[in-house]
Amino acid sequence: MTRFIESTITFPYKRSLGPVVGAFMSALTEKRILGIRNGEMVLVPPMEWDPSTGAELAPDFVEVGPVGTVESWTWVPAPSEQHPLSHPFAFAFIRLDGATTPLLHAVDSGSSQRMVDGLRVAPRWRGTRAGRIDDIVCFVLGEDPETEGDDTGPAPEPVQRMDYNASITYRNPVPIATDRAVDASRSHRLIGLQCPTCARVYTGGRGYCPIDAIALGPDCEVDLPTVGTITNFAIVTPVAYPGQTETEPFVRAFVLLDGTDVIIPYSPVIELPADEVRVGRRVAAVWASPAEESDQEGGMAGAYGSLLGWIPNGEPDIDNPDLVNRIF
């Protein structure tokens, strides 16, 4: 049975809101919803340009709602972690009183049977508002707005920037060959797969020879050296992002294993300052202790399991200008 690993990547960024979106977000902290005049129309949320002509719109703001009418909707029976509510709800186009265009938002109706076109809804405001669209937690049935928790009042300053985390979670299948390589790493062994047809040796991957397109099983496993030479490297200067634990510049190096064409990529270096890393430096593998091996968190994981990285082994550098071409 195939095993899967779930991973989450989060990308934080800051957005400058400008005078139109900034005014809209600032008003939300005051529990007001703004639109913008576009001729005879009132656009909600406000836009900087006419969506039909592209002409710039004057900042002629109009307060709308906060109550509105559902024009259309769709039910979300199983919300994900990125949805605004953790229980079933509806996404709806809501035309707020005084607006020409509808606002897309969540409606907490309790059940899909209570959702109908023409339903009147009012906002449920967040008690502490930061100037984001989710300052409106959702809309609720009826004509009376609600506030979730204690109301801390509007933002002390106009909202000019927005912090946002774009996040994605995905699941990858783990090849059987990877599980075997990880098991071998706990015995401080690096294993590769040698193709019986072309004799090339590989590490990582899905257990196939990409040249001959044949599966490489346990009978193709070979032990690899645990000493090698740095062929390429990158010095990474940490920036703050969710989950970042590094505070000082660190290195990720490519290591060519002795007597083979096998490269171990993107490896940490140990007891080797970033400014002393160089092409041709001789290094040896460092392995996680049994206490560090819990749940594969003590090493590089992936296909390299308990391998922590590479440490200088005291041998003279290799002087070979072709080393820089060895990244695969």
Side-chain angles (χ1 to χ4, degrees):
M1 183 176 179
T2 303
R3 184 169 65 87
F4 289 83
I5 288 181
E6 186 173 283
S7 303
T8 298
I9 298 177
T10 301
F11 300 94
Y13 64 89
K14 293 179 180 291
R15 176 187 174 188
S16 178
L17 298 178
V20 174
V21 177
F24 175 73
M25 295 302 184
S26 295
L28 290 180
T29 73
E30 302 168 355
K31 299 202 289 190
R32 298 187 302 121
I33 303 174
L34 296 184
I36 194 168
R37 291 192 190 278
N38 180 21
E40 300 296 320
M41 303 176 66
V42 176
L43 308 180
V44 180
M47 304 179 68
E48 297 178 2
W49 296 276
D50 185 323
S52 299
T53 67
E56 186 174 358
L57 297 178
D60 185 4
F61 297 112
V62 181
E63 186 171 346
V64 297
V67 180
T69 302
V70 171
E71 293 193 332
S72 61
W73 56 277
T74 186
W75 190 249
V76 182
S80 75
E81 64 179 15
Q82 293 187 336
H83 279 114
L85 299 175
S86 60
H87 54 270
F89 69 98
F91 272 128
F93 278 123
I94 304 165
R95 189 187 299 268
L96 298 172
D97 293 350
T100 307
T101 58
L103 174 73
L104 177 65
H105 215 297
V107 176
D108 188 7
S109 63
S111 73
S112 60
Q113 285 73 30
R114 301 181 71 183
M115 291 298 304
V116 293
D117 293 351
L119 188 68
R120 294 287 286 172
V121 292
R124 176 185 293 154
W125 296 99
R126 202 173 297 279
T128 301
R129 298 174 295 282
R132 297 169 56 101
I133 191 61
D134 62 0
D135 284 351
I136 304 175
V137 178
C138 61
F139 282 78
V140 295
L141 308 190
E143 302 279 342
D144 300 318
E146 301 176 357
T147 300
E148 182 179 271
D150 294 334
D151 193 334
T152 60
E157 301 289 340
V159 179
Q160 298 178 332
R161 298 176 69 88
M162 182 178 73
D163 295 329
Y164 186 75
N165 287 332
S167 180
I168 183 171
T169 298
Y170 59 94
R171 298 173 74 238
N172 276 338
V174 179
I176 295 174
T178 295
D179 281 337
R180 294 199 304 267
V182 170
D183 287 341
S185 77
R186 295 191 178 101
S187 301
H188 299 179
R189 296 168 54 222
L190 279 174
I191 62 171
L193 296 170
Q194 185 170 35
C195 176
T197 301
C198 67
R200 289 178 172 86
V201 179
Y202 306 98
T203 60
R206 300 191 175 278
Y208 288 84
C209 175
I211 304 299
D212 299 295
I214 59 175
L216 305 177
D219 56 318
C220 298
E221 289 179 357
V222 294
D223 278 279
L224 298 173
T226 57
V227 175
T229 305
I230 293 176
T231 67
N232 287 268
F233 64 92
I235 299 176
V236 182
T237 300
V239 295
Y241 62 82
Q244 173 64 280
T245 58
E246 300 283 355
T247 57
E248 300 298 327
F250 61 92
V251 170
R252 290 296 179 262
F254 289 67
V255 177
L256 173 64
L257 302 183
D258 285 1
T260 74
D261 289 324
V262 174
I263 297 285
I264 306 296
Y266 304 111
S267 299
V269 295
I270 296 170
E271 296 182 12
L272 181 57
D275 59 0
E276 295 181 19
V277 178
R278 54 185 177 267
V279 174
R281 190 88 193 233
R282 296 284 289 158
V283 290
V286 179
W287 303 94
S289 68
E292 294 171 316
E293 288 174 348
S294 61
D295 200 27
Q296 298 183 3
E297 293 298 326
M300 289 173 61
Y304 307 105
S306 298
L307 178 65
L308 286 176
W310 301 86
I311 193 170
N313 66 356
E315 295 179 4
D317 288 4
I318 299 295
D319 184 11
N320 180 353
D322 190 52
L323 283 173
V324 294
N325 298 318
R326 302 303 308 275
I327 58 175
F328 301 110

